[in-house]
Amino acid sequence: MEKYLVVINWRTFVALAITAVMTHFTLESNFQFNFGLTMISIAIIFPLVFSIKSAFRRREKALEHLAKFRAGLITVNACLQGGGKSTKRKKPW
């Protein structure tokens, strides 16, 4: 539970206070604005697309590192399974 509460700090309360004051101000002054769907889609869709794209990049990079790690483990396992047998030939002289 403590790891979830770490995000609550003074900046969280400042953001909540600003939001509450501005919401109260707009409701009291009967502020209205015709906000088009285009603006909402720009404000929501573009950041969402970029965050998904960056998440896939991170995933691909993590899979690449995991594949290298797995290949290293397979190599170490193959070396240990060999039992230390040498494949060197004896010198003819």
Side-chain angles (χ1 to χ4, degrees), residues 10-20:
W10 66 272
R11 289 181 288 184
T12 306
F13 292 116
V14 168
L16 284 173
I18 291 171
T19 304

Side-chain angles (χ1 to χ4, degrees), residues 31-40:
F31 182 74
Q32 293 180 357
F33 186 73
N34 188 6
F35 205 65
L37 187 61
T38 306
M39 294 302 285
I40 293 174

Side-chain angles (χ1 to χ4, degrees), residues 2-86:
E2 187 175 313
K3 65 181 177 181
Y4 298 115
L5 296 177
V6 75
V7 296
I8 299 176
N9 54 22
W10 66 272
R11 289 181 288 184
T12 306
F13 292 116
V14 168
L16 284 173
I18 291 171
T19 304
V21 168
M22 293 308 293
T23 302
H24 178 73
F25 172 72
T26 56
L27 290 176
E28 287 296 319
S29 64
N30 199 16
F31 182 74
Q32 293 180 357
F33 186 73
N34 188 6
F35 205 65
L37 187 61
T38 306
M39 294 302 285
I40 293 174
S41 66
I42 289 172
I44 294 173
I45 300 300
F46 282 139
L48 185 63
V49 167
F50 290 129
S51 66
I52 290 172
K53 187 184 285 189
S54 67
F56 275 115
R57 278 193 200 125
R58 285 193 309 266
R59 178 182 177 270
E60 290 299 320
K61 197 64 162 169
L63 286 175
E64 181 182 327
H65 290 304
L66 184 64
K68 288 180 181 179
F69 180 72
R70 185 172 181 257
L73 285 178
I74 290 171
T75 303
V76 169
N77 186 24
C79 289
L80 293 176
Q81 293 294 327
K85 296 178 184 174
S86 178

